[in-house]
Amino acid sequence: MVVLDTSQIKEVGRALRENSAGLLVWQWDDRFQTALSSFITIDSKQVEDLLMPTFAFVWDAKSIRQASPIVQQIAADVGLHPGQRLYTTDPNSSLVLFGAWWPWGNGETISLRMGVSASSLSASDAAALQAELKGSFGL
């Protein structure tokens, strides 16, 4: 069994929820097991500013080839395509928090999915991480 420090999940989720109040409304996305918010593109700089202190690594469809295996797996799981970005915490950690930045085709809206992934977890441990994430966003 892998032992992970989940305090980072609580801290990051709470901080994002509190710092984005009035800007983002969070809901749970069962499809990807992530916290989800959509916003208009005019707010993208403000949302990026919220992400940058925590998510120091930014990947796109080209740079993802240089990412660690766990980050490449996250990109495959959420489907990273040209024009989209993947923000992550330390890509060499056993626990990676991520933000999937998906511009819509209308050019007016962006979806942001916040998730967590860890290497070598049982299904029950992975479910516990998802529950921790969901709770940290108050969902």
Side-chain angles (χ1 to χ4, degrees), residues 79-97:
L80 182 65
H81 299 290
Q84 299 173 336
R85 289 182 247 159
L86 186 65
Y87 292 81
T88 68
T89 55
D90 182 355
N92 297 306
S93 174
S94 59
L95 176 71
V96 176
L97 295 167

Side-chain angles (χ1 to χ4, degrees), residues 15-131:
L16 282 172
R17 184 183 77 236
E18 290 174 0
N19 294 336
S20 68
L23 178 65
L24 302 176
V25 175
W26 295 99
Q27 61 186 1
W28 189 250
D29 180 357
D30 285 321
R31 179 178 172 206
F32 292 105
Q33 296 298 299
T34 58
L36 167 67
S37 187
S38 297
F39 54 94
I40 56 175
T41 55
I42 198 166
D43 292 334
S44 62
K45 173 70 169 108
Q46 196 173 356
V47 174
E48 280 182 296
D49 289 346
L50 290 172
L51 297 176
M52 294 315 293
T54 301
F55 300 92
F57 299 87
V58 183
W59 311 93
D60 61 23
K62 290 182 181 180
S63 65
I64 197 67
R65 293 177 223 152
Q66 284 74 47
S68 67
I70 191 171
V71 172
Q72 288 185 17
Q73 186 61 54
I74 293 167
D77 290 347
V78 298
L80 182 65
H81 299 290
Q84 299 173 336
R85 289 182 247 159
L86 186 65
Y87 292 81
T88 68
T89 55
D90 182 355
N92 297 306
S93 174
S94 59
L95 176 71
V96 176
L97 295 167
F98 67 88
W101 180 280
W102 293 172
W104 292 17
N106 66 11
E108 298 175 8
T109 308
I110 298 171
S111 290
L112 178 62
R113 286 179 172 81
M114 304 306 300
V116 61
S117 187
S119 56
S120 306
L121 288 183
S122 68
S124 63
D125 287 342
L129 279 181
Q130 301 305 328

